[in-house]
Amino acid sequence: MPAILEHTNFTVSDPAATAAWMEKLFGWHIRWQGDAMAGGHTVHVGTDDQYLALYTPGTPANEATSSYNRVAGLNHIAVVVDDLDGTEDAIKAHGFKTGNHANYEPGRRFYFHDDDGIEYEVVAYD
C-alpha cells in the first residue's frame, strides 16, 4: 500500500480565522486546537482522515518573497470538490478573488489567495 498524506502543517496569521473559512467553504471541521511550539497556537481542520495544521508562532516573522522563488516555499494547496462552480461562488461571496481558470484533462480548476497570500487550487474532475 502506498503512503497516504495525513496532514500538512503551515504558518498562518490567525489559525482560528483560517479554519473558520475552511469549515464554511470546504465543509471541513476542527479536529483539534491548542498550544504549540514557540509560544504558538495550532488548529487542525479537515476531515476525519486528512487535515491541515494551521500554526501561528508566538512572535511571527513576515517573509515577503514569493514561495515560487525560494526553496522550501509552499506554492499552493489543492482541494478537490464536486461542484466547482458552486464552490467558486461561495469563495467569491466570502470576499476572495478567483483567477487562473483552466480546463484540462480530466477536469477544471481555478485558484485564489487567502488573506495571508497563500494560494489555493480548487479542482473538480469530470
Side-chain angles (χ1 to χ4, degrees):
M1 180 174 127
I4 297 171
L5 180 65
E6 183 206 26
H7 77 273
T8 299
N9 184 319
F10 58 100
T11 303
V12 298
S13 60
D14 185 342
T18 300
W21 70 253
M22 288 179 167
E23 286 180 294
K24 179 180 176 184
L25 299 178
F26 299 152
W28 294 346
H29 63 273
I30 293 175
R31 296 169 36 123
W32 176 85
Q33 58 186 320
D35 294 336
M37 61 182 272
H41 185 78
T42 298
V43 176
H44 293 180
V45 62
T47 68
D48 290 339
D49 298 318
Q50 299 163 327
Y51 65 95
L52 299 177
L54 308 173
Y55 167 75
T56 191
T59 306
N62 192 7
E63 178 61 52
T65 62
S66 169
S67 62
Y68 285 92
N69 294 323
R70 69 178 185 269
V71 173
L74 172 68
N75 296 325
H76 67 261
I77 298 162
V79 297
V80 177
V81 298
D82 290 330
D83 180 4
L84 190 70
D85 297 325
T87 301
E88 183 173 15
D89 290 344
I91 287 168
K92 287 179 177 178
H94 188 76
F96 295 134
K97 180 181 175 189
T98 64
N100 197 13
H101 297 77
N103 295 335
Y104 66 103
E105 190 61 38
R108 298 184 303 134
R109 69 172 183 238
F110 67 86
Y111 294 81
F112 72 96
H113 289 85
D114 72 4
D115 295 327
D116 288 315
I118 297 169
E119 184 177 57
Y120 294 82
E121 177 183 0
V122 183
V123 62
Y125 294 110
D126 299 332

